[in-house]
Amino acid sequence: MRAEIITVGTEILLGDIVNTNSRYLARELALLGIEVYYQGSVGDNEDRLLEAFGESLKRSDLVITTGGLGPTLDDITKEVAAKYFGQKMELNQKSWDEIREFMSKLDKSPTENNKRQAYFPKEATILKNNNGTAPGAIFKKDNKTIIVLPGPPREMVAMFEESVRPYLENLTEDILVSKTLRLYGIGESKLETELLDVIKGQTNPTVAPYASDMEVTLRITAKAKSSEEATKLIGPMEESIRTRVGKYIYGEGDTSLDEVVSKILVEKNLKIAVAESCTGGMVSASLINYPGISSVFMEGLITYSNEAKMERLGVKKETLDKFGAVSEETAIEMAQGVCKKFNTNVGVSTTGVAGPGGGTDEKPVGLVYIGVCINGKTKVKKLNLSGNRFKVRQRAAKEALNELRILLLEL
Amino acid sequence: MRAEIITVGTEILLGDIVNTNSRYLARELALLGIEVYYQGSVGDNEDRLLEAFGESLKRSDLVITTGGLGPTLDDITKEVAAKYFGQKMELNQKSWDEIREFMSKLDKSPTENNKRQAYFPKEATILKNNNGTAPGAIFKKDNKTIIVLPGPPREMVAMFEESVRPYLENLTEDILVSKTLRLYGIGESKLETELLDVIKGQTNPTVAPYASDMEVTLRITAKAKSSEEATKLIGPMEESIRTRVGKYIYGEGDTSLDEVVSKILVEKNLKIAVAESCTGGMVSASLINYPGISSVFMEGLITYSNEAKMERLGVKKETLDKFGAVSEETAIEMAQGVCKKFNTNVGVSTTGVAGPGGGTDEKPVGLVYIGVCINGKTKVKKLNLSGNRFKVRQRAAKEALNELRILLLEL
């Protein structure tokens, strides 16, 4: 099966918003084994939308649109889909009742405009919107299908998950099962090299790497007649991957480095305190994003100045004078100092040159030291990070979390 | 002039990455007054790319592509553009020298593959890439133009700014001048209502609102024969807007709330210390993103537990017992405590229920108190924020910065 995605809206054409809908739908369709060869964006314009439907359905069996289902007159996606298939719009009483019910829950009264949102051809399958007033719909004619979904991502994603994915799953005989592995500390190209022999020529399961800032995600997807069978196909592939790059894998599925590290601390009941210089609160903020962290997160200190490092953490004046604030020695004393001060099992410190100024030949912008003290033993990691001030700081915070994770696993 | 944007790459079609290139180019073209009616995405496939060029250039004068300029054999955008115009690829020695020079700076040796990146038709204008190995190019034939740019956003944006924007500016007679106003604390729909009479029916200058999380940006764009003339057109419009919603405008142009607040602190030489509970470091981290902050940022404390609030900040046990950690009273004592402890002019505190658990009828998830103490006078702000744990925390941190900004301006 072949599909195309058309996102409708002037805000996309003018670059006012980033098009996350196309990305979401593309990923979901790929997971369903549906091929997408084109994605397009058009404004709320009848002629151009009709032309886009024509071109897309010449090449594909299915078009999914987002946007243009609002109550105002410039929202025309549904009307154009009906016109394209030569179907007549009429009021759907059930849909109109649902819209009014939804609005009354929000203490709002529907306007005459909202009534437009309940008009559909009788041939269409209406998709209820549980998060907004715009219902979606499935239009069909002669083996060609147009599915229209609302534009706001929250409404679109919910409608896809509740109605569209089950509908599409029914159209394909095979079941697709995916497993996601999350890696930190290895670049995409190195990862591809390491896995070349494993993934080369593989068609079932497939392995797709996806790199974002400092992280790589590997998605293993298998196709079979049942989900048990598909899961079985994933097993050996995952094992081969783990054998080669297991040490970089920090988690599976929908998780994050923050969550993984925080969970280990909570599970092992290890009290932690954090002393940050260049990252200025980012490490603590990441840990505190984990809801259960309060049982182990004792305190965080942002000791940006030399005075603060000495007074709050007991970093020695001689250390600062001799080695400087950005040094292995200072990072160690900061991590040990924060442990001691708050009587915790774990202390983490960061100190570095975030830029844009302040760099020297000896200590360039991007030089960061991470200190991790666990039960009295301290390790320090030296980093040379690239990017602007924010990126250097963000990367340093992530490196600190990963370093902590690795050392916690060695316990 | 009419243009289309085609982003090339399997990673977009599979939904592995969000397409930020289209958004960037769309916005820049809109600013240049160039109309964009379609955006498309295609894979690295010769037939489909040829077809896409054909369709786009039937409708438009100019196509800008991103992606597919890499050294490997699946990168074919440039080759397909040449084929579409019937032009022959040949090695461009100057470009090849530049690629080798770029790589030698990174201590890398070019591979035979890299040589492909220096092939262009002699009719093309080559665009040097100062941030990577893939040069771009401008292809022209019979009043139709294809501009090919590299896929990595950093390289693409730099090349657009250095070479493409000046080129396009030369093609249009009118000069466009834009001014961006940044607002905080007002929603997009309320803003539109407030400005209805000012922007209704306006064609020169135009006013475009763009909402992102908790912020709205207003872009005023004027078209004229000279930039002085265009700037003159913007003046009265800006004044009308400021009369109506001036109190929400925190800055102009390329700035951020972090930067604006930090600048005021530095300029007024007001020493600041921060005590965070629910935001857990986010307020400090935002301030520290400003490079000059070290002269005034004294210390930050993440006092997540009641003990930390008492021991570090001197919050009274009775206050915590009687009113709770999430209360006006605690926020006030935290802000005053951190000022006193570090002997600063300004103290900021946050305390709230970030969720997902921990909410009660009386103190629901999203309840946050912000305390700001300036020269001994303390104000507190109560917020009811929506969103998941991360969003509540992020919004609370932004609210704290904005509250601080407003109070600093009253000094």
Side-chain angles (χ1 to χ4, degrees), chain B residues 91-346:
Chain B
L91 180 71
N92 182 292
Q93 191 58 44
K94 180 163 172 278
S95 189
W96 179 224
D97 291 343
E98 286 169 354
I99 291 170
R100 281 183 299 180
E101 195 191 320
F102 178 84
M103 294 189 79
S104 81
K105 271 192 210 155
L106 299 175
D107 281 331
K108 285 182 185 168
S109 348
T111 60
E112 234 354 79
N113 280 344
N114 285 120
K115 209 167 183 173
R116 283 190 68 231
Q117 300 186 293
Y119 273 74
F120 291 94
K122 63 176 186 309
E123 296 92 340
T125 309
I126 301 176
L127 309 174
K128 195 183 167 196
N129 187 337
N130 292 313
N131 303 281
T133 58
I138 301 173
F139 294 78
K140 274 189 86 88
K141 195 175 179 181
D142 305 334
N143 289 322
K144 299 287 181 181
T145 305
I146 298 175
I147 300 180
V148 300
L149 301 175
R154 208 172 62 94
E155 298 176 27
M156 189 278 292
V157 169
M159 193 178 286
F160 186 89
E161 289 181 355
E162 291 159 14
S163 315
V164 182
R165 191 191 290 137
Y167 173 82
L168 294 175
E169 275 171 349
N170 265 335
L171 295 185
T172 55
E173 277 188 24
D174 288 324
I175 299 282
L176 280 125
V177 174
S178 280
K179 179 158 194 177
T180 301
L181 302 176
R182 297 184 176 274
L183 293 87
Y184 186 89
I186 184 170
E188 192 180 8
S189 59
K190 191 178 168 206
L191 180 65
E192 275 184 354
T193 312
E194 297 276 336
L195 297 181
L196 207 58
D197 60 315
V198 193
I199 57 180
K200 205 182 161 187
Q202 271 289 349
T203 54
N204 192 24
T206 57
V207 179
Y210 156 55
S212 65
D213 199 42
M214 303 195 69
E215 294 201 23
V216 188
T217 298
L218 276 179
R219 188 176 57 195
I220 314 170
T221 307
K223 199 191 273 193
K225 295 281 165 230
S226 72
S227 85
E228 294 72 36
E229 226 179 297
T231 307
K232 250 188 219 158
L233 288 170
I234 288 176
M237 172 62 86
E238 184 185 348
E239 215 179 286
S240 304
I241 292 171
R242 285 193 179 271
T243 311
R244 279 161 183 82
V245 295
K247 65 172 172 172
Y248 301 107
I249 299 173
Y250 72 79
E252 291 178 7
D254 195 15
T255 186
S256 66
L257 201 52
D258 307 0
E259 189 182 59
V260 168
V261 178
S262 300
K263 262 191 181 156
I264 303 174
L265 289 167
V266 171
E267 279 166 16
K268 302 198 177 202
N269 192 28
L270 293 166
K271 309 276 180 202
I272 183 170
V274 180
E276 300 180 64
S277 187
C278 63
T279 52
M282 288 170 156
V283 176
S284 289
S286 299
L287 292 171
I288 288 178
N289 208 39
Y290 184 68
I293 199 72
S294 58
S295 63
V296 294
F297 185 91
M298 292 297 107
E299 294 199 35
L301 295 182
I302 294 142
T303 50
Y304 199 54
S305 65
N306 280 355
E307 291 66 41
K309 291 182 184 75
M310 292 186 287
E311 285 171 33
R312 289 323 129 211
L313 302 168
V315 174
K316 292 193 219 82
K317 189 170 181 306
E318 306 87 80
T319 307
L320 291 169
D321 287 346
K322 193 167 165 192
F323 304 104
V326 179
S327 66
E328 199 176 305
E329 291 76 9
T330 301
I332 291 173
E333 290 188 21
M334 286 173 72
Q336 290 175 340
V338 80
C339 264
K340 202 171 149 194
K341 174 155 187 157
F342 299 122
N343 194 25
T344 57
N345 310 96
V346 181

Side-chain angles (χ1 to χ4, degrees), chain A residues 81-99:
Chain A
K83 186 167 184 179
Y84 182 78
F85 282 150
Q87 298 172 350
K88 212 177 127 266
M89 300 287 274
E90 55 188 51
L91 179 70
N92 183 291
Q93 192 56 45
K94 181 163 173 279
S95 188
W96 179 224
D97 291 343
E98 284 168 355
I99 291 170

Side-chain angles (χ1 to χ4, degrees), chain A residues 2 5 12-20 22-24 26-28 30 36-43 47-49 51-52 55 58-59 208-211 219 276-294 297-305 307-309 311-312 341-342 355-357 389-391 393, chain B residues 2 5 12-20 22-24 26-28 30 36-43 47-49 51-52 55 58-59 208-211 219 276-294 297-305 307-309 311-312 341-342 355-357 389-391 393:
Chain A
R2 200 170 282 183
I5 299 162
I12 294 171
L13 285 186
L14 287 177
D16 284 335
I17 59 166
V18 176
N19 187 347
T20 56
S22 278
R23 189 265 179 104
Y24 171 83
R27 192 145 64 160
E28 291 302 317
V36 175
Y37 286 159
Y38 289 91
Q39 295 171 9
S41 300
V42 211
D47 292 342
R48 290 195 277 274
L49 195 49
E51 192 189 327
E55 280 171 4
K58 202 172 62 193
R59 298 181 292 234
Y210 155 56
R219 188 177 57 196
E276 302 181 63
S277 188
C278 63
T279 52
M282 289 171 154
V283 176
S284 289
S286 298
L287 292 171
I288 288 179
N289 208 38
Y290 185 67
I293 199 71
S294 58
F297 186 91
M298 292 296 108
E299 294 199 34
L301 295 182
I302 295 141
T303 50
Y304 199 55
S305 65
E307 291 66 40
K309 291 183 183 72
E311 284 171 34
R312 290 320 131 210
K341 173 153 188 159
F342 299 121
R389 181 175 175 87
F390 181 76
K391 281 284 170 205
R393 297 173 60 225
Chain B
R2 199 169 282 183
I5 300 161
I12 293 172
L13 286 186
L14 287 177
D16 284 337
I17 60 166
V18 177
N19 187 348
T20 56
S22 279
R23 189 266 179 101
Y24 172 83
R27 193 146 61 161
E28 292 302 319
V36 174
Y37 287 159
Y38 290 89
Q39 296 170 8
S41 300
V42 211
D47 292 341
R48 290 195 277 272
L49 196 48
E51 193 190 325
E55 281 172 4
K58 201 173 62 192
R59 297 181 293 234
Y210 156 55
R219 188 176 57 195
E276 300 180 64
S277 187
C278 63
T279 52
M282 288 170 156
V283 176
S284 289
S286 299
L287 292 171
I288 288 178
N289 208 39
Y290 184 68
I293 199 72
S294 58
F297 185 91
M298 292 297 107
E299 294 199 35
L301 295 182
I302 294 142
T303 50
Y304 199 54
S305 65
E307 291 66 41
K309 291 182 184 75
E311 285 171 33
R312 289 323 129 211
K341 174 155 187 157
F342 299 122
R389 181 176 176 87
F390 180 75
K391 282 283 169 203
R393 297 174 60 226

